[in-house]
Amino acid sequence: MRRRVAITGMGLVTCLGTGVDKNWNQLTCGQSGIRPITLFDPKRCQTRIAGEVPSEFDPLQYVPVKELRRLDRHQQIGLVAACEAVQASGLITPPADPYRYAVVIGSGIGGLSTIEAGYEVLREKGPKRMPPMMIPMAVVNLLPGLIAMRFGLKGPNFGIVNACASSASAIGEAYRLIASGSADVAITGGAEAVVGEFAISAFNALRALSTRNDEPAKASRPFDRDRDGFVLAEGAGMLTLESMDHAKSREATIHAEIVGYGATSDAYHVVMPDPNGAGASQAMRLAIQDAGIEPERVEYINAHGTSTELNDKTETLAIKSSFGKSAYKLSISSTKSMTGHTLGAAGAIEAIFTALTLESGMIPPTLNLDSPDPECDLNYTPNVRVNRSVEYAISNSFAFGGQNVSLLFRRP
Amino acid sequence: MDDIEKKIVDLVAEVLVDVNKENIRLDSKIVEDLGAESLDIYDMIALLEDEFGMEISDEEVEKIRTVQDVADFIKVSQKKS
């Protein structure tokens, strides 16, 4: 028997700020978090803008100073978002039945910035000077481990590495753990913080990033004719998932229900999506089948919408393929137009925005959509939020490597 | 405290950020009194080696108990070199 899965807590740290309320206010007002890079001197890079977590971010509120020193930045923001998600759920930790609590967390490149700094130490000072926390700060599975240690959660625990779909995969797998009865509660989501010379220049080498350095707030412009690539950003999104029975028995606030998960692979190319969007379209179809609903009942899609020509066109095609004529009735938006692209954290951040859309009846806008690409002719909610009461909504996440994940949510 | 001893207290305090620096004395036992665990020790060794430009072998580390032991070890090895 499949169990229903509820979202009972959420936590966010992005370039729009710390906390779910702050993020949602900024997002629905159409504020961009993209600014000139300050975390390193970007003068040698073609791209000199990014979505950095603002400097007022104060992890000491949640993380003891000694622990903080030993955490990579993605672990710091991930742990803070997890603290918000657990606190907001009202769950008491450590729990009495810790083996029923899972933690599943996604990150695309984990502690890349730590590796970058460690390699400089190795080159300049030699192997004997390597900082002892190099490995724990670098690997992706440490953040789920840290969350377990923090709250005393002893159930299934793992990290998922799936590029830009990492945390969408994490949420999907956590949903299945609860649906199948392997866990009653799961902390799930993702974190990414790789704004550094290494990642910026590596994505520049792939010609993937916007170089609109003079107009940072206008750089991420999904579905717009004048886009020139995605904008790299830091961020973390964490959710508390719970079996519906568990949530109801303790009278928890239910923000949304996860009702469908679809995962496919393009089997096509290293970094390009299948131009027909077949894999992406099938992921949406599988999520809809998993939920057991007619496609027409889905009214909002939080698009992957990276602001790259290839993604935006292919995703549009894939949506049309999954929804037929009713694709034109959908409200769609890409919140990456404001948060930038947080790689492995994007799926979780956008899952939270999708849940908030269901809860509030507000569709966040796609900022900077001034001159739509003629091949992108759906309703992407340009520039201003729209009030629309929605019962079912999808969040899409697609990865370099060809992985496609669609999550389907229902208003409680 | 001389300059070397003061520097060592600074480095110990840098690693054990949750310990009030005023409570770090020369006769403080690093593990028992200050609460250092294995990762803290590794961290301290890396910082000390970097600061004083020397190597501390794992055998030498085994003999060290107090902040004073660290200072003595560093002074002896500086005289040797």
Side-chain angles (χ1 to χ4, degrees):
Chain A
M1 196 197 81
R2 192 169 90 171
R3 308 196 302 169
R4 294 170 64 191
V5 178
I7 300 172
T8 57
M10 304 183 287
L12 283 172
V13 178
T14 76
C15 61
L16 298 174
T18 300
V20 169
D21 292 345
K22 174 84 186 285
N23 271 274
W24 188 239
N25 284 337
Q26 300 277 92
L27 198 77
T28 49
C29 293
Q31 289 289 320
S32 168
I34 309 306
R35 293 181 194 88
I37 288 172
T38 64
L39 288 170
F40 72 101
D41 182 353
K43 66 174 183 292
R44 299 198 299 174
C45 296
Q46 285 169 276
T47 293
R48 297 186 291 277
I49 52 173
E52 297 178 350
V53 169
S55 52
E56 68 257 26
F57 169 71
D58 180 20
L60 284 172
Q61 202 183 330
Y62 294 99
V63 188
V65 61
K66 186 172 169 188
E67 196 179 329
L68 199 64
R69 194 172 164 271
R70 295 201 169 139
L71 301 181
D72 179 81
R73 193 166 160 90
H74 88 283
Q75 295 165 337
Q76 294 183 7
I77 61 176
L79 204 50
V80 168
C83 286
E84 186 188 7
V86 172
Q87 273 179 12
S89 74
L91 282 166
I92 293 158
T93 57
D97 47 352
Y99 294 100
R100 301 294 299 164
Y101 284 62
V103 184
V104 186
I105 305 295
S107 186
I109 340 185
L112 182 66
S113 306
T114 291
I115 297 171
E116 186 181 355
Y119 192 71
E120 288 203 10
V121 173
L122 178 66
R123 283 285 135 214
E124 284 172 16
K125 299 181 174 176
K128 196 73 178 49
R129 297 287 179 275
M130 188 59 88
M133 289 304 289
M134 182 57 47
I135 298 295
M137 287 168 74
V139 295
V140 168
N141 69 306
L142 241 290
L143 179 54
L146 289 162
I147 293 169
M149 289 170 224
R150 175 61 180 255
F151 298 108
L153 315 179
K154 300 184 176 180
N157 187 299
F158 49 95
I160 288 188
V161 176
N162 213 9
C164 309
S166 299
S167 57
S169 296
I171 295 169
E173 296 304 317
Y175 152 77
R176 281 189 180 157
L177 284 175
I178 295 173
S180 68
S182 302
D184 294 327
V185 177
I187 311 304
T188 183
E192 200 85 79
V194 294
V195 174
E197 195 171 35
F198 191 102
I200 293 278
S201 50
F203 281 113
N204 272 151
L206 278 174
R207 314 292 189 272
L209 295 183
S210 169
T211 55
R212 198 182 283 262
N213 296 317
D214 299 332
E215 296 177 295
K218 292 187 183 299
S220 184
R221 38 196 320 119
F223 308 108
D224 187 90
R225 198 177 54 199
D226 299 321
R227 64 190 170 309
D228 70 330
F230 75 80
V231 178
L232 190 66
E234 303 180 302
M238 295 288 170
L239 301 92
T240 303
L241 305 187
E242 231 173 310
S243 78
M244 189 61 84
D245 290 345
H246 195 277
K248 284 191 169 161
S249 72
R250 63 183 194 92
E251 295 175 354
T253 303
I254 294 164
H255 300 286
E257 184 178 351
I258 303 184
V259 292
Y261 169 38
T264 64
S265 166
D266 279 358
Y268 176 76
H269 188 271
V270 182
V271 292
M272 284 197 288
D274 174 349
N276 299 314
S281 162
Q282 179 67 3
M284 285 183 260
R285 238 177 258 126
L286 287 172
I288 291 165
Q289 282 170 18
D290 191 27
I293 60 168
E294 293 302 315
E296 294 74 29
R297 298 193 66 186
V298 176
E299 292 176 274
Y300 171 62
I301 295 180
N302 187 302
H304 188 55
T306 53
S307 181
T308 64
E309 194 173 329
L310 283 171
N311 174 84
D312 295 355
K313 286 180 182 173
T314 310
E315 187 169 12
T316 298
L317 262 182
I319 292 170
K320 287 181 189 172
S321 161
S322 302
F323 290 90
K325 278 184 188 158
S326 68
Y328 290 90
K329 294 180 188 159
L330 287 161
S331 287
I332 300 168
S333 55
S334 169
T335 44
K336 287 189 182 75
S337 58
M338 293 166 277
T339 63
H341 191 355
T342 56
L343 308 181
I349 291 169
E350 290 157 21
I352 291 170
F353 292 152
T354 308
L356 292 167
T357 296
L358 295 172
E359 210 176 6
S360 68
M362 276 193 271
I363 311 276
T366 301
L367 198 64
N368 300 319
L369 181 44
D370 301 325
S371 323
D373 178 336
E375 288 183 56
C376 299
D377 61 346
L378 297 173
N379 175 12
Y380 308 100
T381 323
N383 293 312
V384 182
R385 71 162 186 259
V386 167
N387 291 328
R388 178 172 179 181
S389 175
V390 172
E391 188 181 2
Y392 288 97
I394 279 179
S395 176
N396 280 336
S397 299
F398 310 135
F400 277 0
Q403 292 83 354
N404 307 294
V405 177
S406 292
L407 295 166
L408 179 48
F409 303 85
R410 182 187 177 194
R411 190 175 60 203
Chain B
M1 272 190 259
D2 60 30
D3 286 350
I4 289 182
E5 289 162 353
K6 278 185 197 148
K7 189 73 215 172
I8 291 165
V9 170
D10 286 346
L11 292 182
V12 171
E14 189 182 333
V15 173
L16 303 175
V17 275
D18 50 349
V19 175
N20 191 335
K21 196 168 154 187
E22 283 149 28
N23 295 338
I24 304 175
R25 301 191 317 259
L26 287 176
D27 62 350
S28 299
K29 295 193 182 77
I30 293 168
V31 173
E32 294 87 339
D33 297 339
L34 303 178
E37 44 128 352
S38 58
L39 287 171
D40 298 322
I41 306 284
Y42 302 153
D43 228 356
M44 282 178 211
I45 295 168
L47 287 175
L48 288 166
E49 289 182 336
D50 200 35
E51 177 67 29
F52 296 103
M54 51 181 290
E55 289 209 7
I56 309 174
S57 69
D58 287 352
E59 291 77 39
E60 295 295 344
V61 172
E62 288 293 315
K63 295 179 202 158
I64 289 172
R65 287 282 173 278
T66 65
V67 178
Q68 185 71 59
D69 293 343
V70 180
D72 292 346
F73 174 77
I74 285 168
K75 286 175 192 169
V76 168
S77 53
Q78 280 186 340
K79 270 182 204 158
K80 279 184 198 160
S81 61

